[in-house]
């Protein structure tokens, strides 16, 4: 009887052992699966990084202020803020829409003036 020699799916080396074995060792199996997951999770990772950066920018603006801070769109864009990435919205009783990146957010003060009020969500 002739058996076809199987090759490792990751490195291509000839596999010794069980007939259903796909990888030559655990390292090749892990590398293969990590490579598959990296391609699938790349977009998610990029979005999460953008959300974290947005939060960090808002946090830095509020660091030395008394709870709120007024900033214009140009300054946020200079810092690398990406308006399309946010975690949620909050509408207050007056109908104002706050856009949040986790616990830091902003309120567009006037659509024609490009000014924003940066806030931090109250805990509790």
């Amino acid at each position: 009887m002739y058996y076809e020699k199987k090759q490792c799916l990751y490195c291509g080396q000839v596999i010794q052992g069980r007939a259903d074995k796909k990888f030559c060792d655990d390292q090749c199996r892990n590398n293969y699966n990590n490579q598959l997951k990296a391609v699938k999770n790349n977009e998610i990772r990029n979005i999460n990084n953008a959300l974290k950066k947005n939060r960090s920018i808002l946090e830095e603006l509020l660091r030395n202020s008394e709870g709120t801070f007024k900033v214009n769109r140009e300054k946020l864009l200079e810092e690398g803020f990406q308006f399309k990435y946010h975690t949620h919205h909050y509408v207050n009783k007056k109908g104002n829409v706050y856009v949040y990146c986790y616990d830091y957010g902003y309120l567009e003060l006037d659509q024609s003036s490009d000014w924003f009020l940066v806030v931090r969500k109250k805990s509790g």
Side-chain angles (χ1 to χ4, degrees):
M1 233 188 282
Y2 174 74
Y3 292 102
E4 186 177 323
K5 292 184 178 183
K6 292 182 77 175
Q7 291 182 324
C8 174
L9 292 177
Y10 185 72
C11 71
Q13 288 185 2
V14 176
I15 298 175
Q16 306 265 333
R18 295 186 345 230
D20 63 341
K21 197 171 177 183
K22 296 179 183 179
F23 304 98
C24 56
D25 60 20
D26 286 338
Q27 184 176 0
C28 280
R29 179 179 49 81
N30 287 333
N31 289 341
Y32 179 85
N33 288 320
N34 287 340
Q35 193 174 43
L36 284 180
K37 288 179 185 178
V39 171
K40 291 178 183 177
N41 293 332
N42 195 30
E43 186 172 357
I44 294 168
R45 186 178 307 109
N46 290 340
I47 291 169
N48 284 337
N49 287 338
L51 287 169
K52 289 178 195 175
K53 184 172 183 177
N54 282 354
R55 183 195 180 279
S56 177
I57 291 167
L58 296 175
E59 178 184 31
E60 189 62 34
L61 290 171
L62 279 179
R63 188 168 306 254
N64 297 322
S65 68
E66 294 292 322
T68 61
F69 185 80
K70 194 173 173 183
V71 65
N72 66 11
R73 181 182 300 272
E74 187 177 318
K75 172 70 173 165
L76 288 170
L77 292 173
E78 283 176 10
E79 295 292 325
F81 194 86
Q82 297 182 54
F83 285 93
K84 67 180 179 177
Y85 295 116
H86 53 273
T87 56
H88 63 285
H89 295 96
Y90 171 73
V91 181
N92 68 5
K93 292 177 183 176
K94 295 179 182 178
N96 297 328
V97 179
Y98 290 81
V99 180
Y100 278 90
C101 291
Y102 304 106
D103 55 338
Y104 287 89
Y106 59 90
L107 169 67
E108 191 169 3
L109 294 174
D110 185 7
Q111 292 180 346
S112 61
S113 69
D114 283 342
W115 282 92
F116 299 90
L117 182 67
V118 180
V119 298
R120 182 168 186 195
K121 183 178 175 184
K122 294 179 176 115
S123 58

